[in-house]
Amino acid sequence: MWGGRFAAGPASIMREINASIPFDKRLWKQDIAGSKAHVAMLAQQGIVEGEDAQAITEGLNRIAAEYEANGVPVNLDLEDIHMVTESRLAELIGPVAGRLHTARSRNDQVATDFRLWVRDAIDEVEAGLLSLQRALVTRAEENADAVMPGFTHLQSAQPVTLGHHLMAYYEMVRRDRSRFADARVRLNECPLGAAALAGTGFPTDRHATAAALGFAKPTDNSLDSVSDRDFALDYLMAATQASLHLSRLAEEFIIWASQPFGFVKLPDAYSTGSSIMPQKRNPDAAELVRGHAGRIMGCMTALCVTMKGLPLAYSKDMQDDKPPVFEAHDLLALSIAAMTGMVETVTFRTDRMRGLAESGFATATDLADWLVREGGIPFREAHHITGRAVAAAEAAAVPMDQLPIATLKEIDARIDERVYAVLTVDASVASRQSHGGTAPSQVRARIAQAKEELGS
Ligand code: ARG
């Protein structure tokens, strides 16, 4: 493609290090779409003859059909998807193929292709996250009243409901979706026509190509157009954050599936057995979601480091932008699908959750609050009195609400029988009516709103 100035061909190592076709063949659809928009604009502007543009368009359609049927041929000599397609076009329609690259460079071409690809990737992730939200809301609604221990420091803290716990993940995914939607808005400007770095002397119409490719507008600075990869970083950062949420949920499922917890039975479909220990049921899918989050974060770091020292405009380092984005996207799409499947089909052992909520003295705060409310005792003092009640319950190995009234009165004479109304886990969660609290009425109200947000 640049043979005019060169006397010798590339070293075989050069051929290998230079080629991006082994991975950027994934951009073929976007590359064809970009070329078709470009040549249509060239014809509209009188830069190429209508007849030539038609031959080029037909050739591109034929190549698309070939790629669809047989895949993209990987020829390292042709370096990348742009050259593979252009050389095939020349085979099909002859020298007129050479007119396609007028007023364009591979620098703006690849920036355009990659934006189009990431835009599709965002749409795919958005759809996946929406399904995950639906699954979370469905399971939360089924379990809006199911009491479980709420934890801080992974120590039993106060009773909450399983519905409330699941809806916490709904909120995380809602923020993830807004990050992807936001990234999509910023991404949606078209670099095509910036040419190599400085723009072009041909009378092009960049607004026309931008519109044809579904972009809101053309980018406004040719140097930035060919050297900017913020859209890929935005994607990777949003993907990283989403994967952190998936990983936390995966981690909870792993802990919950362990024998000491026994809060869930993970579906067979997402577990594996052991070749040696017949009793085993391993949470492999959840563990891989947790593991993939680390790899996705690694992809984000990789592209950050690639970009951080690059002077304007294009440098070949930027060819390394695609593998981390492709890898992160594949891992994220799989992780979302696996988590959605697990949320939809996991068996929650709510009897076991309730039992542990009752045994962990999780209503101690309720006793302290009652002393403040009914006895007019300052909270710090109430906290101290309650600590003694917890010690008594621990010594007697009974839940708080089974401590005899005599024992409680011995600890503090201001306690009377009415206290039992707040010592059960159900009374505890029902009392947490503050906005966003765990009371089933609050959780159901949020679920109703969430369903509206999801259009279901
Ligand atoms: N394969 C290249 C990439 O992915 C295309 C752009 C090449 N431009 C250049 N001037 N060498 O970044």
Side-chain angles (χ1 to χ4, degrees):
M1 296 278 171
W2 51 72
R5 198 205 171 289
F6 280 62
S12 70
I13 293 295
M14 176 55 189
R15 214 171 133 259
E16 240 179 275
I17 193 173
N18 198 40
S20 55
I21 186 66
F23 52 85
D24 71 16
K25 61 185 180 176
R26 259 181 104 159
L27 297 175
W28 75 260
K29 278 191 180 144
Q30 291 75 16
D31 197 64
I32 300 263
S35 289
K36 283 166 72 173
H38 183 65
V39 77
M41 180 278 292
L42 292 177
Q44 169 209 302
Q45 296 297 102
I47 301 168
V48 303
E49 297 292 334
E51 221 171 90
D52 292 347
Q54 203 185 327
I56 289 170
T57 303
E58 281 163 13
L60 289 169
N61 287 339
R62 244 182 91 179
I63 295 170
E66 290 176 2
Y67 289 169
E68 189 78 72
N70 312 316
V72 178
V74 173
N75 177 351
L76 296 192
D77 287 322
L78 293 172
E79 192 179 325
D80 59 25
I81 183 62
H82 325 296
M83 311 251 264
V84 167
T85 301
E86 200 179 318
S87 91
R88 179 67 185 140
L89 189 63
E91 280 172 16
L92 290 174
I93 67 171
V96 73
R99 297 196 185 281
L100 169 61
H101 213 53
T102 314
R104 180 177 86 168
S105 151
R106 277 185 299 152
N107 296 349
D108 59 333
Q109 189 179 355
V110 74
T112 305
D113 292 2
F114 199 22
R115 279 191 195 233
L116 289 170
W117 192 92
V118 173
R119 194 172 69 186
D120 289 345
I122 289 175
D123 293 343
E124 193 190 323
V125 168
E126 264 276 294
L129 291 177
L130 178 65
S131 304
L132 175 57
Q133 282 183 309
R134 293 213 160 105
L136 286 165
V137 168
T138 302
R139 301 309 306 269
E141 191 167 32
E142 289 164 17
N143 294 286
D145 302 285
V147 174
M148 66 175 276
F151 299 93
T152 60
H153 313 271
L154 199 56
Q155 303 281 318
S156 189
Q158 292 176 351
V160 295
T161 65
L162 175 57
H164 195 49
H165 195 111
L166 292 172
M167 285 302 285
Y169 285 95
Y170 172 85
E171 304 294 346
M172 293 178 230
V173 179
R174 190 171 63 85
R175 292 192 294 275
D176 290 328
R177 285 185 60 204
S178 94
R179 262 183 289 276
F180 280 108
D182 196 42
R184 195 187 196 285
V185 173
R186 266 194 303 279
L187 165 149
N188 210 23
E189 298 183 2
C190 185
L192 190 59
L197 75 164
T200 175
F202 289 101
T204 53
D205 180 353
R206 292 193 56 211
H207 291 272
T209 42
L213 294 169
F215 288 104
K217 65 187 268 298
T219 49
D220 290 323
N221 181 298
S222 61
L223 289 168
D224 181 48
S225 306
V226 293
S227 62
D228 165 47
R229 292 295 182 270
D230 286 3
F231 63 91
L233 286 168
D234 274 352
Y235 174 85
L236 288 171
M237 289 176 189
T240 297
Q241 213 149 350
S243 75
L244 298 185
H245 297 148
L246 296 172
S247 178
R248 293 181 77 175
L249 182 55
E251 168 71 0
E252 300 222 73
F253 278 6
I254 293 162
I255 295 175
W256 290 1
S258 70
Q259 283 72 26
F261 267 81
F263 281 9
V264 297
K265 181 167 174 245
L266 287 176
D268 286 353
Y270 293 95
S271 307
T272 62
S274 159
S275 51
I276 176 166
M277 297 165 284
Q279 86 284 11
K280 279 299 212 99
R281 179 188 191 78
N282 295 326
D284 290 37
E287 289 170 303
L288 286 164
V289 169
R290 190 175 59 182
H292 286 358
R295 290 175 61 191
I296 291 169
M297 190 187 308
C299 293
M300 183 216 35
T301 311
L303 188 55
C304 286
V305 179
T306 296
M307 294 305 296
K308 72 174 269 293
L310 294 187
L312 301 188
Y314 179 87
S315 296
K316 197 64 172 247
D317 315 41
M318 291 169 72
Q319 179 165 285
D320 280 344
D321 57 358
K322 286 167 281 298
V325 173
F326 292 159
E327 182 183 353
H329 179 68
D330 292 343
L331 294 172
L332 181 63
L334 259 178
S335 301
I336 294 170
M339 266 341 287
T340 305
M342 278 185 267
V343 170
E344 280 168 348
T345 55
V346 67
T347 306
F348 292 113
R349 294 177 53 195
T350 49
D351 51 333
R352 172 91 186 144
M353 293 181 180
R354 170 174 286 273
L356 274 168
E358 285 171 343
S359 71
F361 314 117
T363 57
T365 317
D366 298 277
L367 172 55
D369 288 350
W370 183 86
L371 288 166
V372 170
R373 234 178 15 250
E374 304 296 327
I377 300 171
F379 184 77
R380 287 296 167 211
E381 191 188 341
H383 184 285
H384 189 78
I385 296 166
T386 305
R388 291 169 58 206
V390 169
E394 199 169 17
V398 294
M400 299 285 290
D401 63 340
Q402 278 164 43
L403 277 174
I405 190 65
T407 311
L408 288 169
K409 275 190 178 301
E410 215 170 284
I411 291 167
D412 195 288
R414 288 166 288 188
I415 301 177
D416 61 48
E417 268 88 354
R418 289 173 305 152
V419 76
Y420 289 110
V422 303
L423 290 184
T424 67
V425 291
D426 292 294
S428 174
V429 296
S431 74
R432 298 272 185 304
Q433 297 274 356
S434 53
H435 179 85
T438 195
S441 58
Q442 281 294 320
V443 175
R444 285 190 198 286
R446 183 67 186 106
I447 288 172
Q449 239 177 23
K451 283 181 168 174
E452 258 171 56
E453 287 166 11
L454 301 178
S456 55

